[in-house]
Each structure stands twice: as structure tokens, then as C-alpha cells.
Amino acid sequence: SAGLENGRNASDVISKLEKEGRLIPNEDGMQAGFEVSTDIVDSSEIDIIFNDLEKQEKDKYIENMLPSETRKVDAIPTEEDIDVFFTQVLSNKSFNPTDKPANIPGGFLIRGENRLKDGYELVETLDKKLAATNISDKVQFYYIKDPNPSTEEEFQNYMNDLPVIVVTGRDIEPETKFLTKATISLIGIIFVASFSVGALSFNEVLVDRLDAEVQAGTGDLSWIQALSAPTFFAICITQLVHEASHQAVAFKDKFKAGLPTIVPSLQTGLSGAVTPLMSSPPNLKSLFDFAVVGPLSGLIISLFFMYSGLELTAFMSPEAQSQLPSLPLQLLRSSALAGGMVEWLLGEGILAQTPTAGGTALLHPFAIAGFVGLISNALALLPIGSKCCIVYCMLIHDILQL
């Protein structure tokens, strides 16, 4: 760019080179080229370039390992904050630092040696010391395995799994706007209500009744609301138990969990919810408990609804069964557990019957809500996504070692 701010303008570049006498004349005396500096770069400059590239690679690796909520620009601890943490919170009796705090994306990393019994005791001790400082409302620390990529030497010396302390800002709340979350949840509720009403449309008796009332011009559709309400509320209760279990663990272990965002589903009305963490759990076991208690409790209440609904369906009179909502047999077959319960309680081979195209099964609203709960809570137990898989496997590994 010949030292110009805008090196893309070829005319300006050639004009500047001509004024500086750096254009080389050809055999006819015409200026045909320009000179290029061939100064050898100093070895120290090469080291700086490679060190910068290595740091960029490590920073990207760390960014992929740690959630983006821990790297908020306006919440990154200052040098003064980390000095207070280093001198007033850490000590050779708890966590003995072996190196100075190193800058990482979103905060600092401190290597050292845990002098206490285990990581739980260390975190509890450091939490008490941090609460007594003037930075307790500014920083958050994590005792985790080194998020930096391991070198070959570290693998050979079994040093790749050594825990470190990572210090970040205190604010780790997701940045999703409240209006966005509320809108998604409202859509989810509408989808659940639509699914509850839609389950009635698979019952030909109810469809014929609706057609007759529309043609008669009566306009009284309150019976649709009365028949779909049990399904709607039973699904909501299943999800409420799921979310209440999350909040119970958060309350027990003294960390904050935000309000859930309901995730809609085109097939079953509800595919679950996303519950954000507003503060950090005290340890991995607590995080694991928080993650699995919701789906497990949801599965239990769903099994209860499924069994109760199928029992009620089996012992209903034909007249009462004719007023029940129904689900397509193909949808029921999508769950081996739910399909097995249907055949166990309503008769073996019922899912194989196809009296009409696709086929449907009349079910009590509790059974339908239980089916939806089994699907959504089973999905919630899956470690979906690369980061989730890594964290899930790390949690299982660490908990099995307790």
C-alpha cells in the first residue's frame, strides 16, 4: 500500500512510488516496475509472530470450551480485581499458585496446586474468602480442567487433566431479550392448545358432531373447550413438575436459575423448555443434578399420566370412549415405551391395526399428555450439540469417580 491509508487505489500508489523514485525504468527509459525491500526479518520478530498465532489458536479453543456468557466485554475482571483475588483469596494453604494469572478470553487463568482434600472443599473455602473481599460482586471463579489445548509433552507427563482456576465476570446471565423469550413461550402455549384441540379432530364422531352444529348454526362450541382442556392442563402440569424440579435443585444448592422458555413443537405441541442459569452452581455434581432432575421427574409424572389414562380408557364404556380425543397410530409407534404401554393395557396388536389410512387410537387425555411428556422429557435427556456432548461426558466421568 506504499504507506497509504487506502492502498486499494492503484493510481495513488503508483503516484507515490513515482514521487519517491522507487519506480524502476525499463530498457526504453519508461518506468516499468518498483523496488521491493528484501530486509531479513529478525528472528525475535518471527518468534513474536508465531507466539501471536499460538495465542490466537489457544484463545479460539478456550472460546469453544467456555460459554459465551462468561466472556461479556463489560464484565471482564480488571488487573486490580485479579490482584485482589490472587492475594486475598488464594493462599498456599488452599490453592497454591505456581504461575502468574494468564489472560484468556473473558478473564484470567491461574495454575496451581490444590492443598485441600478435594475440589468441593476448595471451592467452599475460596467462596468464603471471596465473600469477604470487595470484589465478591464483580468476579466469579471456576475450578475446572485446563481449557487450553494440551501439548504432546503434557499428555506424556499426564499433566493434561490438571485443574486450574478460571476467573471471569460475575454476570453470566444469557443476553436473550425478555420479549423474545416471552414471545417464544407464548407461541409454545398456543401450540399446546392447538395440539389439544387437534387431537379431537382425529375422532370422526366429534368431527361429525361439529359439522352438524355448524350446519345447524347453533355456534355453541363450548364442548370442544371442555373436551380439550384436560389434555392441555395435563401437559402443562407435566412441564410444571419438570421446571419445579430444576428450581428445587437450584434452591437447595444456592444458585439462581431463570424462568424457562417453552419450546413449541409442530408434532406434539411441546418439545420441552430451556431454563437458563443466572449464577454458577457450586460444583459439577450440582450442575449434573440440575440438568437431569427435570427430565427424570418429568418422565415419572408422564408415566403416571400415561398409565392412568390407559387404565381409564380400558374401563370406559363405548359411549364414553366415542367422546375421547385420539392420536395417529404412527405417532404412537414413534415411542417404544409408550407403544408398549398402549399394547399392554389396551390389547396386543392394537398399534398394528389400520382400519383407515394411517389409523388412530382413542385415548384418555391423561394418556395423551403422558405420551407428550415421555417424548419431550426423553429429548431433554439427550446431550444435543458438540459442546453439550463434551460437557455431558465430562460430568459423567467426574461423577463416576466420586
Side-chain angles (χ1 to χ4, degrees):
S1 63
L4 296 174
E5 292 183 2
N6 182 10
R8 296 183 179 181
N9 192 321
S11 299
D12 291 343
V13 173
I14 293 174
S15 176
K16 188 173 189 304
L17 292 174
E18 185 177 2
K19 289 178 181 180
E20 295 177 355
R22 294 168 63 185
L23 290 177
I24 304 172
N26 59 15
E27 296 176 356
D28 299 328
M30 300 296 292
Q31 293 174 333
F34 55 89
E35 60 183 4
V36 180
S37 173
T38 57
D39 294 339
I40 299 176
V41 180
D42 186 78
S43 60
S44 61
E45 296 180 1
I46 295 178
D47 291 339
I48 292 174
I49 293 174
F50 278 106
N51 288 336
D52 287 343
L53 291 174
E54 184 180 359
K55 185 178 185 305
Q56 291 177 10
E57 182 182 353
K58 287 185 176 182
D59 287 351
K60 288 182 179 179
Y61 186 86
I62 292 174
E63 289 174 358
N64 287 330
M65 290 294 294
L66 299 178
S68 59
E69 287 79 11
T70 64
R71 304 192 304 274
K72 295 181 180 178
V73 177
D74 56 347
I76 297 176
T78 63
E79 294 284 351
E80 292 76 14
D81 294 336
I82 199 64
D83 285 342
V84 172
F85 185 88
F86 195 81
T87 57
Q88 298 184 24
V89 179
L90 303 182
S91 69
N92 57 5
K93 293 183 179 179
S94 55
F95 186 85
N96 186 31
T98 58
D99 202 355
K100 295 180 179 179
N103 276 296
I104 62 171
F108 296 85
L109 183 146
I110 304 174
R111 291 183 172 85
E113 180 185 0
N114 180 13
R115 296 294 184 87
L116 299 178
K117 180 181 178 181
D118 52 33
Y120 298 152
E121 184 178 352
L122 174 65
V123 170
E124 185 178 356
T125 301
L126 297 185
D127 268 335
K128 292 179 181 178
K129 289 188 176 182
L130 178 61
T133 67
N134 61 350
I135 62 169
S136 59
D137 59 340
K138 298 180 181 179
V139 303
Q140 172 73 49
F141 74 91
Y142 308 91
Y143 183 61
I144 61 176
K145 293 178 181 179
D146 195 341
N148 281 295
S150 302
T151 63
E152 184 177 352
E153 181 181 356
E154 288 174 339
F155 270 114
Q156 292 176 350
N157 296 328
Y158 301 98
M159 298 175 61
N160 57 304
D161 284 340
L162 292 180
V164 296
I165 288 181
V166 172
V167 183
T168 67
R170 190 78 180 179
D171 181 14
I172 62 170
E173 295 184 13
E175 296 181 336
T176 308
K177 294 182 179 180
F178 175 80
L179 182 60
T180 302
K181 297 172 63 177
T183 302
I184 296 174
S185 294
L186 178 60
I187 293 173
I189 294 174
I190 293 174
F191 272 47
V192 173
S194 300
F195 172 81
S196 302
V197 175
L200 300 176
S201 66
F202 294 109
N203 187 329
E204 295 182 0
V205 174
L206 298 180
V207 173
D208 293 340
R209 176 182 175 183
L210 177 61
D211 289 339
E213 293 195 3
V214 170
Q215 292 177 3
T218 57
D220 182 14
L221 303 179
S222 59
W223 60 273
I224 296 180
Q225 180 180 352
L227 292 178
S228 61
T231 304
F232 175 81
F233 286 113
I235 293 175
C236 291
I237 290 173
T238 301
Q239 191 61 38
L240 182 63
V241 171
H242 177 124
E243 299 304 326
S245 300
H246 283 314
Q247 298 295 336
V249 172
F251 178 79
K252 178 180 74 72
D253 293 342
K254 299 178 181 179
F255 64 93
K256 296 180 181 179
L259 294 176
T261 301
I262 298 175
V263 181
S265 169
L266 291 174
Q267 191 173 35
T268 60
L270 175 72
S271 56
V274 178
T275 306
L277 292 176
M278 313 302 281
S279 62
S280 178
N283 49 57
L284 283 174
K285 184 178 182 300
S286 176
L287 177 60
F288 183 82
D289 291 344
F290 176 82
V292 302
V293 69
L296 290 180
S297 59
L299 285 173
I300 292 173
I301 190 68
S302 297
L303 286 172
F304 170 77
F305 273 132
M306 188 81 185
Y307 181 84
S308 300
L310 292 175
E311 280 281 342
L312 292 171
T313 303
F315 291 100
M316 273 185 175
S317 64
E319 293 78 11
Q321 284 188 0
S322 67
Q323 302 299 307
L324 291 177
S326 60
L327 290 180
L329 298 179
Q330 186 176 2
L331 182 60
L332 291 172
R333 294 190 197 104
S334 64
S335 170
L337 177 58
M341 292 182 66
V342 169
E343 294 211 338
W344 172 41
L345 293 170
L346 298 186
E348 185 176 353
I350 187 174
L351 296 183
Q353 297 176 9
T354 54
T356 60
T360 60
L362 295 171
L363 298 172
H364 189 277
F366 286 0
I368 294 178
F371 173 78
V372 173
L374 288 176
I375 296 295
S376 62
N377 286 284
L379 289 174
L381 283 173
L382 294 177
I384 301 173
S386 57
K387 291 183 183 179
C388 294
C389 287
I390 293 173
V391 174
Y392 199 88
C393 292
M394 289 173 60
L395 288 172
I396 293 292
H397 173 73
D398 288 337
I399 289 172
L400 291 178
Q401 288 183 329
L402 294 179

